[in-house]
Amino acid sequence: MPTLPIFPLNTVVFPGVSLPLHVFEERYRSLVRHLEALPDARDRLFGIVAIREGYEVGQHEARSMYRTGCVVQLTDVTPYDDGTYDIEVVGRHRMRVEGIDAGGAFVVAEMTELEDEPGEDVLDAASRALSAFHDYRNLLSEIRGGDVLTGTMPRDPALLSYSLAATALLSLRERQSLIEVSTTHDRLTMLRHLLRQEIRAMHAVPSLPATEVARTTWSPN
């Protein structure tokens, strides 16, 4: 079973989505140094899983992590004099953690790669989810008094499902539920229901959702 370093975070990362991170804890600085030393940039991979409860850093270890997460590739590193880094990663594919080894300089996990199946009528599901997102974005822009969540969405249904999941103002638990879905059709259908539910809530109480606007961006890499 393949092993990769793992980075628990208080967020969910999706395939095709890029994420900037500030790395300051020593074990994750060690991870960045390890990845940078690999001669082939395609091998600079690690897994990100969301924390169910606990903390990302310090003496309060993540006490409970979700098992399903995303393998990401390190794409950019900016080092600082104090030993910290700003890095950028892009999601590659879903994975499931099968076992953890925390005895080294950084945490390593045994992982199983998870493949997506398209499911039936995936193009129709994509069209309906995108329509719901446009209605959601228009209403949210009206409430905020300016355009939000702008940008062109990918046409590929699988990438669309991940991009919508990362862009919409969803809770961590909702995003975790989405990354655990095994078919693109079911993920798009779940997204459509979540967006329609949020639209109904905004119509009932015309104020912003509690979740901040997502700062992640979609990348086709």
Side-chain angles (χ1 to χ4, degrees):
M1 185 173 295
T3 62
L4 282 177
I6 195 166
F7 197 153
L9 287 174
N10 284 315
T11 190
V12 177
V13 181
F14 295 94
V17 174
S18 61
L19 178 73
L21 295 169
H22 180 63
V23 179
F24 59 91
E25 192 181 10
E26 178 52 37
R27 60 179 172 175
Y28 298 122
R29 286 193 261 174
S30 297
L31 170 58
V32 173
R33 292 192 294 268
H34 164 75
L35 294 173
E36 279 198 295
L38 297 176
D40 191 337
R42 292 172 296 182
D43 295 330
R44 295 171 186 168
L45 304 174
F46 62 99
I48 291 180
V49 290
I51 297 172
R52 192 190 304 267
E53 60 178 331
Y55 303 87
E56 293 178 5
V57 297
Q59 296 180 350
H60 302 284
E61 296 288 346
R63 292 175 294 171
S64 178
M65 299 179 296
Y66 290 100
R67 291 180 62 195
T68 303
C70 186
V71 171
V72 302
Q73 180 178 354
L74 181 69
T75 57
D76 189 66
V77 179
T78 302
Y80 294 101
D81 292 339
D82 62 358
T84 63
Y85 299 91
D86 281 339
I87 67 173
E88 187 157 342
V89 302
V90 62
R92 289 305 184 194
H93 55 78
R94 296 187 310 121
M95 58 82 183
R96 183 175 62 245
V97 173
E98 306 293 355
I100 295 287
D101 179 4
F106 44 81
V107 181
V108 176
E110 294 181 336
M111 297 183 182
T112 299
E113 181 175 347
L114 300 177
E115 296 184 1
D116 276 18
E117 296 293 335
E120 296 182 1
D121 299 324
V122 67
L123 294 178
D124 178 66
S127 176
R128 297 175 72 182
L130 189 58
S131 176
F133 177 73
H134 287 157
D135 292 343
Y136 167 82
R137 180 171 59 186
N138 290 339
L139 180 57
L140 191 57
S141 296
E142 181 181 335
I143 292 172
R144 290 186 63 97
D147 291 341
V148 299
L149 309 181
T150 58
T152 303
M153 290 293 169
R155 294 183 178 181
D156 178 81
L159 290 178
L160 174 65
S161 74
Y162 292 132
S163 186
L164 291 177
T167 302
L169 311 186
L170 303 175
S171 69
L172 186 147
R173 183 172 295 181
E174 289 168 335
R175 286 177 172 163
Q176 182 63 35
S177 296
L178 288 164
I179 201 170
E180 292 177 0
V181 173
S182 60
T183 73
T184 300
H185 173 275
D186 289 350
R187 186 177 304 110
L188 289 165
T189 300
M190 183 183 294
L191 275 162
R192 177 168 57 86
H193 290 320
L194 288 170
L195 292 171
R196 292 299 180 195
Q197 177 178 299
E198 188 64 25
I199 289 170
R200 289 193 296 270
M202 285 191 285
H203 277 302
V205 181
S207 59
L208 288 177
T211 310
E212 290 293 327
V213 174
R215 291 182 173 85
T216 54
T217 56
W218 176 78
S219 169
N221 295 321

